[in-house]
């Protein structure tokens, strides 16, 4: 095994022993896999490195010949010729250095582009369950810090390893050829240099890992607190002083780690410089003695001395490279950890589109529990030490119902009964544990299981307004175009008119180009909700899922939105989670959901007459609100 190999493997073992987290060969292989598409450039780079290493050795050899020529009192032209050669080598080295740097950085950056886009695509594919558990800050830090960490190593280090290794071998060969005695003696000092290198490596990798964790935690704190809802909460309930102390403590630890890392590296470099200076003394001593006793040409002493500095330089670089590779592997592993998370909800290879035409919706004996943490996320992204392996309790216990094309079904029930869960299963944000959710089909059991449908066709078929009505921090127009990128300005105004937002948006100085603010926080609750309805109207889905916000609209707006929804639901299949009597009355059927079961079904009048749970809900929740609404506006 090479010297390099010995050092590497002992470093590898040490790190494994210390952190309990092995760097597997598989990880290394995988990293190299990312370099495969850049093979051509890599080969050119290696070839160039060999040429440059030869040039680097050529200068000392030429210098030795100059000395020998002087000692031998050779012709003056000979010395001039050698000097010109040295100049040519220097120019060539500079030129090739540029090319080689360009090659190595394009390879490094190329690898990172691949890695970064792959991670982004993968995270996009993760199910909602993943995002409900993951801390955004931790995820973003994984995407930024770790990908950049991996990049710096790839661009700088990996290329450095190749050229330094070549330089090291060539230097050694030439030195041995010049005088094996001097070379061997110079090597005696090597262990002095390699032992601290090993210890340093593992210490540095641990420090970097800790710093990455602190950086991620700070990122999390910032992304959560520095958003409109988060900042509001801190101002109203939070303890800003405590938050700031916690942040300062982490930032302080990162500073300490930074200083410690710098000092460790500096100590190491100083030690190396000292060792090489001592070795130089040995070379002059032994080489000089050999030259005086006539066993070595004077020029050879110069060659050996000059080469010695070139020997320790690649060694220093290589030992630093080891450290850098270790921390790059840490970064790569943190990134791979995310890539290895299998998305729980995937499109089947033989998925079909939802058939055209009016669509029916069918739930057949659906049972569902929210998935356990270990199935959907990573401990490090939730910032807990171990993941909960317990599955959630079953939330839906055998839900069955059918909505015929064009009909509206209203779901009512207590808070936490499972209504939003039903809506999410219909949109396949989660998969059922038992039973099936089907779309289309004229008779029960004949529709297409949503698990067999393509994602694209599900998106086109289903439109959902969620309870919290999220908007991106973009313009009104781009929030609307999310639903249909090719929507014209007229389409948008039409939807806005239907959502009863026209007067409001026309009064804005920037109209459609108004930026709605973080999560739509620059709009009122009611405006935000109507904008999400406009977004739904633009998409023109065949099936509408509406999770009504519990409160938001005053009675005038309520009536307006009701009218808009009436138009939107017209001719569409709809599942509406209703909190308002007007919506419920308009429905073709009402399902009363309690504790994950449908306990009653029928029309408003039927259910009132039955004097069951619905009648109770009606009296406690809906009747009062309706009285107010009816006073203010005529019914639509
Ligand atoms: N992401 C989740 N992970 C685990 N449990 C969840 C999750 N979301 C909801 N639950 C649980 O599932 C149950 C049903 O919740 P769901 O949101 O469907 O109620 P809901 O009927 O829509 O209530 P509301 O009228 O208040 O909106 C609740 O007990 C809730 O705590
Ligand atoms: Mg809900």
């Amino acid at each position: 095994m090479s010297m390099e190999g010995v050092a590497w493997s002992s470093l590898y073992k040490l790190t494994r022993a210390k952190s309990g987290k092995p760097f597997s060969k598989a990880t290394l292989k995988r990293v190299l896999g990312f370099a495969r598409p850049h093979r051509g450039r890599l080969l050119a780079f290696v070839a160039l490195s060999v040429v440059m290493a030869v040039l680097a050795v050529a200068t000392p050899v030429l210098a030795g010949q100059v000395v020998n020529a002087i000692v031998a009192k050779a012709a003056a032209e000979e010395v001039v010729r050698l000097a010109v050669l040295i100049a040519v080598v220097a120019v060539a080295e500079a030129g090739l250095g540029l090319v080689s740097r360009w090659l190595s950085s394009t390879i490094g950056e190329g690898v990172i582009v691949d890695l970064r886009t792959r991670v982004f695509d993968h995270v996009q594919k993760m199910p909602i369950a993943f995002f409900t558990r993951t801390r955004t800050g931790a995820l973003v830090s994984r995407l930024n810090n770790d990908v950049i960490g991996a990049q710096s190593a790839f661009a700088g280090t990996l290329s450095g390893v190749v050229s330094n290794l070549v330089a090291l071998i060539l230097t050694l060969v030439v030195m041995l050829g010049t005088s094996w005695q001097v070379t061997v003696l110079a090597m005696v000092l090597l262990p002095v240099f390699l032992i601290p290198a090993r210890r340093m490596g593992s210490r540095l990798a641990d420090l970097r890992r800790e710093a990455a964790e602190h950086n991620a935690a700070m990122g999390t704190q910032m992304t959560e607190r520095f958003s409109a809802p988060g900042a509001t909460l801190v101002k109203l309930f939070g303890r800003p002083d405590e938050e700031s102390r916690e942040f300062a403590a982490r930032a302080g630890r990162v500073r300490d780690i930074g200083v410690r890392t710098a000092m460790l590296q500096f100590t190491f470099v100083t030690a190396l410089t000292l060792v090489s200076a001592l070795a130089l003394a040995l070379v002059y001593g032994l080489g000089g003695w050999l030259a005086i006793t006539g066993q070595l040409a004077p020029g050879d002493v110069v060659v050996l001395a000059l080469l010695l500095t070139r020997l320790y330089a690649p060694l220093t670089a290589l030992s630093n490279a080891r450290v850098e590779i270790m921390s790059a592997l840490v970064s790569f592993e943190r990134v791979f950890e995310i890539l290895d998370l299998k998305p729980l909800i995937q499109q089947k290879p033989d998925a079909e589109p939802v058939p055209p035409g009016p669509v029916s919706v069918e739930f057949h004996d659906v049972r569902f529990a929210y998935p356990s943490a270990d199935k959907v996320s990573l401990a490090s992204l939730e910032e807990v030490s171990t993941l909960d392996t317990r599955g959630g309790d079953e939330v839906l216990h055998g839900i069955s119902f059918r909505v015929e094309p064009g009909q509206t079904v209203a779901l009512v029930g207590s808070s936490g009964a499972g209504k939003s869960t039903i809506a999410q299963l219909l949109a396949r944000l989660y998969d059922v544990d038992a039973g099936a959710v089907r779309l289309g089909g004229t008779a029960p059991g004949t529709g297409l299981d949503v698990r067999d449908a393509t994602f694209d066709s599900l998106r086109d078929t289903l439109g959902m307004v969620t309870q919290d009505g999220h908007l991106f921090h973009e313009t009104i127009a781009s929030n609307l175009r999310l639903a249909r990128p090719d929507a014209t300005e007229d389409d948008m105004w039409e939807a806005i008119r239907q959502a009863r937002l026209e007067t409001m948006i026309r009064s804005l100085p920037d109209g459609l180009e108004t930026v709605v603010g973080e999560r739509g926080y620059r709009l009122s609750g009611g405006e935000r909700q109507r904008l999400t309805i406009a977004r739904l109207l633009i998409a023109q889905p065949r099936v509408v899922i509406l999770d009504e916000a519990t409160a938001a609209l005053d009675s005038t707006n309520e009536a307006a939105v009701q009218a808009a929804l009436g138009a939107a639901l017209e001719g569409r299949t709809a599942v509406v989670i209703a909190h308002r009597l007007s919506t419920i009355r308009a429905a073709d059927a009402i399902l009363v959901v309690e504790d994950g079961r449908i306990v009653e079904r029928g029309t408003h009048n039927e259910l009132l007459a039955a004097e069951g749970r619905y009648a109770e809900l009606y009296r406690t929740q809906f009747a009062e609100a309706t009285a107010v609404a009816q006073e203010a506006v005529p019914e639509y």
Side-chain angles (χ1 to χ4, degrees):
M1 197 188 260
S2 69
M3 211 165 51
E4 184 58 21
V6 174
W8 223 102
S9 66
S10 54
L11 181 56
Y12 161 74
K13 279 179 210 137
L14 237 140
T15 313
R16 171 156 59 182
K18 212 163 181 183
S19 61
K21 216 182 145 205
F23 292 115
S24 59
K25 285 224 173 75
T27 304
L28 207 61
K29 243 194 198 145
R30 225 168 140 184
V31 171
L32 292 177
F34 276 90
R36 199 159 301 134
H38 309 276
R39 261 186 313 238
R41 279 188 189 162
L42 262 176
L43 268 176
F45 174 76
V46 172
L48 207 59
S49 298
V50 174
V51 175
M52 286 182 63
V54 172
L55 289 180
V57 176
T59 312
V61 172
L62 288 172
Q65 290 186 7
V66 171
V67 172
N68 283 340
I70 296 169
V71 172
K73 302 227 183 317
E77 294 81 55
E78 175 66 9
V79 176
V80 172
R81 192 182 61 86
L82 286 169
V84 169
L85 256 178
I86 289 176
V88 169
V89 168
V91 171
E93 264 191 300
L96 293 179
L98 277 178
V99 180
S100 134
R101 185 75 200 133
W102 179 81
L103 278 173
S104 71
S105 59
T106 48
I107 296 166
E109 300 290 336
V111 167
I112 290 323
V113 168
D114 298 346
L115 193 63
R116 191 169 266 170
T117 48
R118 211 177 290 189
V119 172
F120 186 87
D121 290 348
H122 192 77
V123 171
Q124 262 200 334
K125 287 199 193 93
M126 297 310 288
I128 293 300
F130 170 79
F131 295 99
T132 63
R133 293 201 162 266
T134 300
R135 302 191 73 163
T136 316
L139 188 61
V140 170
S141 140
R142 200 64 69 96
L143 274 168
N144 283 338
N145 299 348
D146 288 320
V147 169
I148 288 171
Q151 165 193 29
S152 63
F154 222 105
T157 317
L158 213 72
S159 53
V161 169
V162 176
S163 50
N164 283 319
L165 215 56
V166 178
L168 188 65
I169 292 167
L170 245 149
T171 308
L172 265 181
V173 167
V174 175
M175 280 182 81
L176 282 170
T178 311
S179 161
W180 65 266
Q181 299 95 323
V182 174
T183 311
V184 168
L185 190 68
M187 286 291 140
V188 166
L189 281 173
L190 258 189
V192 182
F193 146 88
L194 282 177
I195 290 163
R198 278 178 221 160
R199 303 187 127 206
M200 268 253 319
S202 62
R203 183 81 194 105
L204 274 179
D206 284 349
L207 283 174
R208 293 241 166 99
R209 196 177 283 137
E210 196 193 331
E213 270 156 27
H214 285 301
N215 278 326
M218 284 194 286
T220 307
Q221 200 181 358
M222 285 193 271
T223 44
E224 274 180 8
R225 303 311 193 260
F226 295 171
S227 65
T232 311
L233 209 58
V234 172
K235 289 212 189 303
L236 292 178
F237 297 107
R239 284 176 288 271
D241 295 342
E242 226 160 84
E243 300 258 339
S244 124
R245 261 197 300 280
E246 191 188 322
F247 189 83
R250 286 195 189 280
R253 182 68 193 135
V254 172
R255 171 203 57 206
D256 295 344
I257 291 176
V259 172
R260 183 111 187 79
T261 311
M263 285 320 291
L264 266 175
Q265 276 173 335
F266 184 76
T267 315
F268 182 63
V269 171
T270 311
L272 274 184
T273 318
L274 184 63
V275 169
S276 70
L278 293 179
L280 196 60
L282 281 181
V283 167
Y284 281 133
L286 180 65
W289 182 75
L290 286 175
I292 287 171
T293 55
Q295 302 173 55
L296 201 64
D300 289 348
V301 181
V302 174
V303 173
L304 285 170
L306 284 176
L307 281 179
L308 187 76
T309 57
R310 304 229 172 201
L311 181 70
Y312 280 82
L315 268 177
T316 316
L318 278 176
S319 67
N320 280 343
R322 262 182 247 131
V323 171
E324 276 160 37
I325 288 175
M326 298 313 274
S327 56
L329 283 183
V330 172
S331 292
F332 269 112
E333 282 195 339
R334 285 165 66 93
V335 173
F336 288 156
E337 206 179 26
I338 291 186
L339 285 179
D340 289 343
L341 269 179
K342 234 180 140 75
L344 211 54
I345 296 184
Q346 292 185 20
Q347 178 171 307
K348 285 191 183 164
D350 55 348
E352 299 168 37
V354 179
V359 194
S360 61
V361 167
E362 184 188 320
F363 272 60
H364 175 76
D365 200 16
V366 167
R367 292 178 172 273
F368 175 74
Y370 282 97
S372 64
D374 62 333
K375 285 210 190 87
V376 294
S377 81
L378 280 173
S380 54
L381 288 179
E382 289 190 34
E383 293 178 354
V384 295
S385 51
T386 48
L387 280 178
D388 210 346
T389 52
R390 285 172 302 144
D393 292 333
E394 196 175 78
V395 175
L396 300 180
H397 323 281
I399 296 279
S400 296
F401 67 89
R402 196 177 150 79
V403 192
E404 295 303 331
Q407 300 239 302
T408 299
V409 157
L411 301 178
V412 298
S414 325
S415 181
K419 305 179 297 293
S420 297
T421 309
I422 292 177
Q424 289 181 312
L425 289 176
L426 176 52
R428 210 190 165 199
L429 298 180
Y430 292 90
D431 273 342
V432 301
D433 294 325
V437 176
R438 300 194 185 98
L439 292 175
T442 44
T446 57
L448 177 68
D449 194 313
V450 289
R451 284 168 293 185
D452 297 328
T454 62
F455 284 158
D456 277 348
S457 78
L458 277 182
R459 263 195 294 273
D460 288 348
T461 310
L462 301 166
M464 183 159 170
V465 174
T466 54
Q467 225 165 347
D468 60 354
H470 190 90
L471 295 170
F472 287 125
H473 191 170
E474 286 166 6
T475 63
I476 291 176
S478 58
N479 268 296
L480 290 177
R481 282 213 178 92
L482 188 67
R484 188 150 61 85
D486 59 351
T488 64
E489 198 142 307
D490 287 343
D491 297 338
M492 287 193 262
W493 280 114
E494 178 54 32
I496 287 167
R497 220 177 341 264
Q498 285 187 31
R500 300 303 192 266
L501 267 177
E502 191 178 10
T503 331
M504 196 282 282
I505 294 180
R506 290 234 188 259
S507 73
L508 296 170
D510 294 328
L512 284 177
E513 295 308 312
T514 308
V515 174
V516 296
E518 170 96 1
R519 300 183 203 184
Y521 253 65
R522 268 154 63 183
L523 302 176
S524 81
E527 288 162 353
R528 197 155 61 228
Q529 200 195 352
R530 278 179 288 160
L531 197 55
T532 59
I533 291 173
R535 183 166 60 193
L536 177 86
L537 290 169
I538 284 218
Q540 302 196 320
R542 286 181 285 161
V543 177
V544 170
I545 308 162
L546 178 65
D547 201 344
E548 265 186 357
T550 1
L553 307 181
D554 64 45
S555 36
T556 318
N557 278 324
E558 150 116 27
V561 168
Q562 217 57 60
L565 277 177
L569 299 184
E570 181 74 47
R572 297 203 168 101
T573 316
V575 174
V576 180
I577 298 165
H579 295 287
R580 288 184 296 246
L581 190 64
S582 45
T583 325
I584 299 169
R585 273 199 171 144
D588 298 290
I590 298 165
L591 308 178
V592 183
V593 185
E594 288 303 340
D595 287 332
R597 289 187 180 83
I598 296 177
V599 293
E600 282 178 46
R601 52 182 93 200
T603 63
H604 175 67
N605 290 332
E606 284 167 15
L607 290 175
L608 270 191
E611 277 294 332
R613 178 75 185 126
Y614 180 77
E616 198 181 316
L617 275 173
Y618 172 73
R619 277 193 295 273
T620 54
Q621 288 188 15
F622 308 126
E624 216 170 288
T626 319
V628 177
Q630 275 172 344
E631 228 166 77
V633 284
E635 274 229 45
Y636 277 81

